[in-house]
């Protein structure tokens, strides 16, 4: 089964052999896509916490969906952690739009190997 997708690619402008591009998807199976901002502070473990902020991956508008997310925490105590997962389903807002809940544990890192818990809710959706 093929799903029609539209979008565009932006070249990073790097001249080396390992340059990158960013792919922006604008529609998925005929539906416009949207993303959500998400941010927060992890739990305190090993005497510190980390901040994080990013955008979810795009998902279609107007249909039941979830979003994949991925980010790197702030650098604290000489290390960072990865945060990644999939949000819960959309939760409708009374004035229109929706948000998603997310939660999990960071990757293990640090001089004393440890992870942090995180949880929150995305912002209302935004077209990209």
């Amino acid at each position: 089964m093929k799903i029609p997708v539209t979008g565009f690619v932006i070249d990073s402008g790097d001249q080396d052999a390992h340059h990158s591009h960013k792919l922006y998807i604008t529609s998925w199976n005929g539906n416009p896509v949207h993303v959500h901002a998400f941010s927060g502070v992890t739990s305190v473990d090993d005497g510190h916490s980390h901040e994080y902020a990013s955008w979810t991956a795009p998902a279609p508008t107007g249909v039941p969906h979830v979003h994949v997310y991925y980010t790197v925490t702030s650098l604290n105590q000489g290390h960072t952690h990865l945060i990644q997962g999939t949000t819960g389903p959309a939760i409708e807002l009374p004035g229109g739009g929706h948000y998603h809940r997310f939660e999990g544990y960071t990757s293990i890192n640090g001089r004393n190997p440890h992870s942090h818990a995180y949880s929150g809710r995305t912002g209302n959706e935004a077209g990209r």
Side-chain angles (χ1 to χ4, degrees), residues 44-82:
V44 175
D45 291 283
D46 197 33
H48 67 279
S49 62
H50 296 265
E51 297 177 349
Y52 59 91
S54 191
W55 293 89
T56 65
T61 300
V63 297
H65 66 279
V66 295
H67 294 263
V68 171
Y69 59 90
Y70 174 91
T71 193
V72 177
T73 66
S74 59
L75 175 66
N76 293 21
Q77 302 290 316
H79 67 276
T80 61
H81 295 272
L82 298 179

Side-chain angles (χ1 to χ4, degrees), residues 34-42 50-58 66-74 81-88 98-106 118-126 128:
H34 68 278
V35 295
H36 296 263
F38 70 96
S39 63
V41 178
T42 67
H50 296 265
E51 297 177 349
Y52 59 91
S54 191
W55 293 89
T56 65
V66 295
H67 294 263
V68 171
Y69 59 90
Y70 174 91
T71 193
V72 177
T73 66
S74 59
H81 295 272
L82 298 179
I83 288 178
Q84 60 186 350
T86 303
T87 68
H98 67 275
Y99 68 93
H100 300 262
R101 294 187 192 279
F102 62 90
E103 64 181 348
Y105 290 90
T106 66
Y118 65 87
S119 65
R121 60 182 260 184
T122 66
N124 198 356
E125 79 263 24
R128 290 297 269 175

